[in-house]
Structure formats: C-alpha cells, structure tokens
Amino acid sequence: GAVVSQHPSWVICKSGTSVKIECRSLDFQATTMFWYRQFPKQSLMLMATSNEGSKATYEQGVEKDKFLINHASLTLSTLTVTSAHPEDSSFYICSASWEGNKDTQYFGPGTRLTVL
Amino acid sequence: AQKITQTQPGMFVQEKEAVTLDCTYDTSDPSYGLFWYKQPSSGEMIFLIYQGSYDQQNATEGRYSLNFQKARKSANLVISASQLGDSAMYFCAMREGRGFKTIFGAGTRLFVKA
C-alpha cells in the first residue's frame, strides 16, 4: 500500500520558537494532503487541506498565520507552527491522497509536539 | 452539514467473540463515502474498510465488515473473532460529495479481554 512518512516523530521546543513538520508520500504523487490535529483521547480535527502548487484551505477557527502549510511538490507538504505556545502541544497527523483515489487517505505516523 | 456520531466511548469484548461498533451519520448529499480507521496506542491511523453510498452490498475486509443501513444512516463496524491486537481506538469517518474532505467521529475505544 501507499506509504506516507512524517518527520520528526516527536519534538519538544521552547515557547516562542517555530517548528516545522514534514509529510512525505514515499511511493505515490499526492495531489492533496491534509493536516489534522488530535488532542489526547479526542478525535482528529481537520486543520487544512493543501493541493500541490496552491494555497492551503484552512478550516474555520484555524489561524493560517500560525499554522503555515506549504505543498511545494507532489510528494512533500510541510506544516510550520510559528511562535509555538504550550496550547499548541498536540499530535499532528498528515494524510495524502490523489485525484484518482478519493476512497482512501493514507496517513502518516503522526508527530507529537510538546511546547514547554 | 455533515456529521458523524459514535455513541460508545468504550467497549469490552472477550477474545474470539464478535463485536459491533456503532456509527451514525448525517448528510444531505446523496454521494458519500464511509470509512473506519483503527488507531493503536502508537498513534498511526490504519485504514480498515470503506463503503460507498451507492454500493449495493456491505463491504467486507477479512475479519471486518461494515453493516451499512442507508435508511437508518448507520454504518456499524463488525469485527469477528476478536484478537488481543484489536484493542485500539476506532474511528468512523465520512467523505461527502466529490470532495476530499473527511470528518471523523469521536471514536470508540475497544478493549479485548483474554
């Protein structure tokens, strides 16, 4: 099956710093990538949808200036948490799909962010 | 607006027995897709099964089957012959219309007892 990787798998940073999380599709070209956020014992909340070469579409309530998403190529999307604060601590998961296969999203293993 | 409801926060099942995880949905779009994902403690999301709104037969994948009752707007997951490794969080999800956007239910934590 299709493989999606995320890097790093976990990160601890100081408040005020920025953190970049990478999401890569390893064996397919992902026309669309999604970024989710999951708090402990809660469901996945869609943050934004990104299409290669265009600006991301953010869900209501998600600060686009704080969560910068770039989908520069068909195999890479990045999420940058700018000026991170403790309330940004969460589990961030990306998924990827392509136009001909909307039935399945392939998820990355997730990145656990802890902001001190 | 689309909505997914999972009313069972936690479920217990004896090893080797079958278990049903409930999921109801609400959408006004006649075209939609329903998914079930498993999330073990490691956090990865594992795709289990998919059911399209126009599919005539219930989807099956190995020990997983989806009991699709369109009129009731329910899409329950049935796991047969439960195994200890089935202990995890299970999420029901829906994609509406022709778009990619998928929304997830609150999840059900399944505990399989030896």
Side-chain angles (χ1 to χ4, degrees):
Chain A
V3 179
V4 175
S5 70
Q6 272 184 253
H7 179 79
S9 55
W10 58 269
V11 56
I12 301 173
C13 69
K14 293 182 179 180
S15 185
T17 61
S18 293
V19 175
K20 179 183 283 187
I21 302 170
E22 292 186 349
C23 176
R24 292 182 185 272
S25 57
L26 299 184
D27 51 2
F28 66 99
Q29 293 185 323
T31 51
T32 304
M33 287 186 169
F34 306 86
W35 286 95
Y36 294 88
R37 184 174 183 176
Q38 186 180 30
F39 290 108
K41 298 184 180 181
Q42 293 191 24
S43 186
L44 278 72
M45 298 300 296
L46 180 64
M47 299 175 66
T49 303
S50 72
N51 293 296
E52 185 266 338
S54 60
K55 290 184 177 180
T57 301
Y58 290 81
E59 294 299 303
Q60 192 172 9
V62 177
E63 300 176 62
K64 58 182 178 182
D65 293 333
K66 180 166 187 64
F67 299 100
L68 301 179
I69 292 172
N70 183 280
H71 191 164
S73 76
L74 285 171
T75 60
L76 173 65
S77 177
T78 60
L79 166 67
T80 302
V81 183
T82 62
S83 187
H85 288 93
E87 57 265 30
D88 298 324
S89 298
S90 189
F91 191 56
Y92 293 89
I93 309 174
C94 74
S95 70
S97 191
W98 66 89
E99 185 61 32
N101 186 22
K102 291 183 179 180
D103 293 346
T104 306
Q105 288 185 34
Y106 297 94
F107 284 84
T111 296
R112 190 162 301 282
L113 171 63
T114 301
V115 184
L116 303 177
Chain B
Q2 54 180 342
K3 185 179 178 181
I4 289 282
T5 304
Q6 293 180 256
T7 58
Q8 306 155 313
M11 289 281 288
F12 286 88
V13 64
Q14 195 67 39
E15 192 180 10
K16 299 181 183 178
E17 291 186 351
V19 63
T20 297
L21 306 183
D22 295 341
C23 173
T24 58
Y25 61 93
D26 188 26
T27 178
S28 57
D29 198 314
S31 176
Y32 52 89
L34 297 159
F35 307 80
W36 277 93
Y37 289 90
K38 172 184 178 181
Q39 187 180 42
S41 57
S42 59
E44 61 184 310
M45 295 290 286
I46 301 169
F47 167 74
L48 296 178
I49 197 166
Y50 165 81
Q51 180 85 42
S53 59
Y54 295 117
D55 293 344
Q56 295 296 313
Q57 294 187 323
N58 289 344
T60 60
E61 289 287 348
R63 294 187 298 113
Y64 305 107
S65 60
L66 198 152
N67 185 0
F68 182 44
Q69 299 192 36
K70 198 169 183 176
R72 295 185 178 182
K73 292 189 175 180
S74 74
N76 298 339
L77 176 70
V78 180
I79 305 175
S80 63
S82 296
Q83 301 172 356
L84 295 178
D86 293 336
S87 293
M89 196 74 172
Y90 289 80
F91 290 100
C92 180
M94 178 171 67
R95 172 184 54 77
E96 192 175 58
R98 301 183 63 185
F100 277 105
K101 182 178 176 180
T102 302
I103 62 166
F104 289 79
T108 296
R109 182 162 294 280
L110 178 66
F111 300 91
V112 181
K113 300 181 290 183

